[in-house]
Amino acid sequence: MAKIKTVKACALCLQEKELCKSHILPEFVYKPLYEGGKFRMYSAKPSIKNRSEQKGLREYLLCEDCEQKISVWENYAKYVLEGGSKKVQLDADTSGNLVTVSGIDYKQFKLFQLSILWRASVSSQVFFSKVSLGKYEERLRTMLFNDDAGECREFGCIMFGLKEDKAVTDIIEQPFMKHIDNGITQRFIFSGFLWSFMVSEHLSKKYEIAFLQPSGKLTFLVRKLSEMKSMFQFAKELEKLGRLR
């Protein structure tokens, strides 16, 4: 039987093309979760059972050209999140729980950040259902399509490193919205970081120091995962349902 091709409008370029099964979060994010070729997804809702998956969450979303465009940013971000490499040389300065990394390619890493936020917003996956950008969704699509990383305060992302005894890289939390001051943040947890995207036209300038800077400098705080209320509450609900290993 011939394979049925999915031909629809690509979410990024808007052209009618054959679509790929695209990741919302890149596959390298899921790698620390795999056990025996699968990873486990936990639900605190009684109506939704825990389940195993063989690959990270995907859906027919992007054409091959747009998939390749985003994969370039993903590949770069992977090196950054792993602490650098021969290809991506970084410097880090640590003072207590404050870490400052320099040498980051602003455009590539910022476009990676923006692509995560945008893909989560346009996704039809239930896991990303709490991410909704409304009027900002089209602005982000245009920026990504045009390789425009924007100014540092546009959809600026505050990152927190997560640890217990060591860095915590094997947890992905369902993204959610949180109000802050007069704006909205969309929060993700993956790759050992909490990513807090500021989605507002009326941001206080006090947050800008924590965004990735055009100079390639990124400053973040390291926090204990056990101090995060959302993760603590999630664990309690799993325990009640007898789903916590």
Side-chain angles (χ1 to χ4, degrees):
M1 183 180 292
K3 184 179 179 180
I4 299 174
K5 295 182 179 180
T6 301
V7 180
K8 291 183 179 179
C10 170
L12 183 55
C13 69
L14 305 182
Q15 299 297 308
E16 291 281 336
K17 294 183 179 181
E18 183 179 349
L19 300 186
C20 303
K21 234 180 174 183
S22 307
H23 284 92
I24 308 305
L25 298 177
E27 182 61 24
F28 74 79
V29 166
Y30 296 92
K31 189 176 179 180
L33 282 69
Y34 282 110
E35 293 180 9
K38 295 182 179 181
F39 70 91
R40 192 78 167 158
M41 291 188 68
Y42 294 90
S43 172
K45 292 184 177 181
S47 59
I48 302 177
K49 295 181 179 180
N50 292 346
R51 70 179 194 270
S52 295
E53 295 284 351
Q54 290 184 320
K55 278 190 173 292
L57 299 180
R58 300 176 299 162
E59 62 186 278
Y60 290 107
L61 190 68
L62 304 174
C63 69
E64 182 66 29
D65 290 337
C66 291
E67 187 80 13
Q68 289 302 315
K69 174 196 281 280
I70 287 179
S71 72
V72 172
W73 308 330
E74 289 182 345
N75 290 336
Y76 178 79
K78 180 177 183 292
Y79 288 125
V80 172
L81 295 172
E82 290 177 349
S85 67
K86 290 182 179 179
K87 293 182 179 179
V88 180
Q89 296 187 11
L90 306 174
D91 291 312
D93 180 62
T94 302
S95 177
N97 288 333
L98 191 69
V99 180
T100 299
V101 180
S102 56
I104 297 174
D105 184 306
Y106 173 80
K107 183 176 180 179
Q108 290 202 68
F109 197 72
K110 179 72 181 290
L111 285 170
F112 166 75
Q113 290 180 330
L114 298 182
S115 76
I116 294 292
L117 180 61
W118 175 76
R119 280 181 280 176
S121 182
V122 299
S123 174
S124 62
Q125 295 274 353
V126 174
F127 186 79
F128 299 102
S129 60
K130 296 180 181 180
V131 181
S132 179
L133 297 179
K135 65 180 182 179
Y136 298 108
E137 192 173 279
E138 176 58 18
R139 167 62 180 154
L140 258 182
R141 186 196 70 80
T142 303
M143 290 174 71
L144 293 169
F145 181 71
N146 292 323
D147 294 342
D148 176 13
E151 298 179 6
C152 73
R153 74 189 315 269
E154 288 188 87
F155 305 103
C157 181
I158 300 174
M159 295 172 63
F160 296 90
L162 303 177
K163 71 170 187 177
E164 278 304 316
D165 296 327
K166 60 181 181 178
V168 179
T169 60
D170 57 351
I171 290 179
I172 300 175
E173 183 184 33
Q174 182 179 27
F176 63 96
M177 181 182 72
K178 186 176 178 66
H179 290 274
I180 182 169
D181 293 347
N182 295 320
I184 292 173
T185 66
Q186 297 283 354
R187 297 191 172 190
F188 297 68
I189 289 179
F190 63 87
S191 290
F193 287 90
L194 183 152
W195 310 66
S196 184
F197 292 93
M198 313 294 274
V199 185
S200 175
E201 295 172 354
H202 309 288
L203 283 177
S204 169
K205 286 194 173 183
K206 67 184 179 182
Y207 297 113
E208 289 188 30
I209 192 173
F211 300 156
L212 175 64
Q213 301 296 308
S215 64
K217 184 177 290 187
L218 175 65
T219 301
F220 61 89
L221 280 170
V222 177
R223 297 174 57 184
K224 282 196 171 184
L225 189 69
S226 55
E227 295 173 354
M228 297 181 58
K229 292 181 180 179
S230 61
M231 290 301 298
F232 181 70
Q233 186 60 38
F234 180 61
K236 284 179 65 177
E237 293 298 323
L238 285 177
E239 191 172 29
K240 286 180 186 177
L241 294 170
R243 295 179 176 179
L244 186 64
R245 291 196 298 177

